[in-house]
Amino acid sequence: MKVILVVILCLYLLVLSKLILFEFLTIPDIISHFTFSYDDYYWNNHNFIPFKTIIFYLFIADINFNIRVDNLAGNIIGFVPFGVILPLLSKRFRLFKKVMLTSLYLSLTFELIQLVFKFGSFDVDDLILNTFGGILGYIPFHTFTLYKNYKKRENVELKLPN
């Protein structure tokens, strides 16, 4: 089962990397970014102010609803599988704090790669939304664990003599 989960995690990370970093790039473009020889236009609109982009998409932007959903929900949904897979893969990730921090670190890694290699723009709101997605993925696991422990205690109490 662990081998299957590792394969799923690797495939998930490949797909996530493609969607976040390389969605619109060709192989030669990717190579030129990594060698710092990319000289065409790239999205260079970084955001270091928390909730600026989120508020813009929710309340200010005069753009199509689908673009709003793609940008906000896409960042959340993209990290939900990560929050599901981590605690299933290792006991070390069965705590809320560990899943939250690992989701934050993965998101930060993607954002820093975008910043350094000019694949896109750094946005602190992506960190917030991605981390929230990881947390949302963790919630079903945690709920199931609580339910399982409750049932286990209930069964023990029924078997104890009075």
Side-chain angles (χ1 to χ4, degrees):
M1 183 65 173
K2 212 167 209 171
V3 172
I4 293 170
L5 285 172
V6 168
V7 170
I8 290 170
L9 179 64
C10 289
L11 291 173
Y12 161 75
L13 290 174
L14 283 172
V15 169
L16 193 62
S17 296
K18 169 67 174 147
L19 292 174
I20 292 174
L21 300 174
F22 312 121
E23 186 173 11
F24 304 110
L25 298 175
T26 64
I27 298 295
D29 286 341
I30 293 168
I31 292 169
S32 67
H33 276 278
F34 278 126
T35 59
F36 298 103
S37 60
Y38 188 77
D39 58 0
D40 280 346
Y41 174 81
Y42 69 95
W43 191 256
N44 189 18
N45 192 13
H46 307 298
N47 172 37
F48 300 100
I49 302 167
F51 301 103
K52 179 181 176 183
T53 305
I54 295 170
I55 290 170
F56 175 76
Y57 279 121
L58 286 177
F59 305 111
I60 299 170
D62 185 25
I63 54 176
N64 185 311
F65 179 76
N66 291 339
I67 294 172
R68 293 173 196 236
V69 170
D70 286 349
N71 282 286
L72 297 175
N75 278 307
I76 294 169
I77 293 167
F79 272 69
V80 168
F82 192 65
V84 172
I85 296 169
L86 278 182
L88 293 174
L89 188 60
S90 173
K91 288 181 180 180
R92 286 185 287 182
F93 295 107
R94 295 204 174 154
L95 295 174
F96 172 83
K97 181 179 176 182
K98 294 233 179 179
V99 172
M100 182 186 74
L101 287 174
T102 307
S103 297
L104 174 67
Y105 296 152
L106 178 62
S107 180
L108 181 60
T109 300
F110 281 126
E111 292 301 313
L112 289 174
I113 289 170
Q114 288 183 47
L115 181 66
V116 171
F117 294 105
K118 300 180 180 178
F119 284 122
S121 53
F122 181 97
D123 192 339
V124 71
D125 288 348
D126 288 350
L127 295 174
I128 294 166
L129 294 169
N130 295 159
T131 303
F132 183 65
I135 291 167
L136 283 179
Y138 172 78
I139 289 171
F141 171 82
H142 184 67
T143 303
F144 177 75
T145 303
L146 288 175
Y147 177 75
K148 192 171 84 174
N149 291 340
Y150 170 77
K151 283 297 193 183
K152 193 183 290 183
R153 277 195 311 271
E154 191 177 78
N155 288 338
V156 169
E157 289 173 2
L158 290 173
K159 292 178 183 178
L160 290 175
N162 288 336

